[in-house]
Amino acid sequence: MSMVGKTKDTLKSRYDLVDLGIRQILHQIEDGDNIWLPTACSTLSSEEKLKLCDFLANLKVPNAFSSNISRCVNVLEKRINGLKCHDHHVLLQDNLPVAIRGLLPKEVCEPIIALGKFFKNLYSKCLTIEDLDILEAKILIIL
């Protein structure tokens, strides 16, 4: 969520995009001494981060479904801290698709939702060889 010191989206990475000749829409824009880094379509604005954190902070889930994710959300700082592995799985597979549907563009939401469905099917209790073949074909399209 663009935390200072944690993000990998730096000026060096943008120069790498130029060297590789990919994602021209994200190349840095130089105006004299100033350099401007355009945001990716998947980047949330401050207002959108607040909406996402507010959604997660007010989320109610059944007992034993996951831990209380709302305790891990700091709405004022727009941060999510202290989630356990299972909480990350629940967030990706169940909660995030609902939360981002109105925040991000369709071309960003659909792959995230499809990825969540893929992992939900992969981690299901009854999985057959035929299901794995179907999932293997679907992941190529998702990625």
Side-chain angles (χ1 to χ4, degrees), residues 10 28 49 58 61 68 84 86 97 99 109 122 126 134:
T10 62
Q28 72 277 0
K49 289 178 192 176
N58 295 316
V61 295
N68 191 357
K84 295 186 177 178
H86 177 70
C109 282
L122 187 64
C126 53
I134 293 169

Side-chain angles (χ1 to χ4, degrees), residues 47-128:
E47 194 174 287
E48 291 169 334
K49 289 178 192 176
L50 185 63
K51 286 180 184 178
L52 177 67
C53 288
D54 190 47
F55 174 83
L56 293 174
N58 295 316
L59 185 66
K60 304 283 189 226
V61 295
N63 288 342
F65 180 70
S66 69
S67 67
N68 191 357
I69 293 176
S70 63
R71 285 186 288 127
C72 301
V73 177
N74 187 337
V75 177
L76 296 176
E77 291 183 17
K78 302 172 197 145
R79 292 179 60 143
I80 304 169
N81 290 337
L83 293 177
K84 295 186 177 178
C85 183
H86 177 70
D87 298 330
H88 285 282
H89 287 270
V90 169
L91 192 63
L92 176 64
Q93 295 170 18
D94 298 311
N95 303 335
L96 199 60
V98 176
I100 65 169
R101 194 172 301 244
L103 297 177
L104 293 173
K106 187 177 180 179
E107 62 270 5
V108 177
C109 282
E110 286 180 352
I112 294 172
I113 292 169
L115 194 61
K117 285 180 183 177
F118 171 80
F119 283 114
K120 190 168 194 153
N121 291 332
L122 187 64
Y123 298 142
S124 67
K125 290 183 180 179
C126 53
L127 190 63
T128 63

